[in-house]
Amino acid sequence: MFVRSAVALALVAAASLAHADAKVLKKVAPEYPAEAVKKNISSGSVRAKIAIAGDGKVSNVDVVEAEPKRVFDRAAVDALSQWKFEGTGAPQTHEVKLVFKSED
């Protein structure tokens, strides 16, 4: 029997900012996509460019690179859209890499 809770949540094994000046206040871990489980894909990564508004909220997320393609993109965008950074008063753009690994 498939135990969803054992595999459903992605572990953010690595999340790094391309620039150290953006302080992350809130991180949301992405959910491990059901499509990846069905296709027996045990790991992957997404590199995304995030636009951060002056108040620290993420205003846009663009996937720059994904491996495998189009498997983890939606989960990464959904999670990164919920991240919160320390506001600087000016918009910023940074790159973040999320690494997905199933618990199995």
Side-chain angles (χ1 to χ4, degrees):
M1 181 175 178
F2 181 95
V3 181
R4 183 172 175 83
S5 62
V7 185
L9 295 179
L11 300 175
V12 180
S16 59
L17 290 173
H19 301 86
D21 55 351
K23 182 177 178 186
V24 180
L25 300 177
K26 175 187 171 189
K27 287 184 183 180
V28 174
E31 288 191 26
Y32 203 86
E35 177 187 358
V37 174
K38 288 178 190 172
K39 292 181 176 181
N40 292 320
I41 299 171
S42 61
S43 64
S45 65
V46 174
R47 189 166 54 97
K49 184 188 302 184
I50 55 175
I52 305 165
D55 63 0
K57 292 181 182 175
V58 174
S59 58
N60 192 45
V61 178
D62 287 317
V63 173
V64 176
E65 182 180 328
E67 185 59 41
K69 295 188 183 305
R70 292 182 291 281
V71 174
F72 298 103
D73 298 28
R74 173 66 15 213
V77 170
D78 289 347
L80 289 171
S81 295
Q82 298 176 64
W83 283 30
K84 175 80 173 162
F85 294 82
E86 186 172 67
T88 63
Q92 304 175 59
T93 303
H94 294 280
E95 283 192 4
V96 175
K97 181 176 182 180
L98 298 180
V99 176
F100 291 78
K101 293 183 187 255
S102 75
E103 295 176 351
D104 283 353

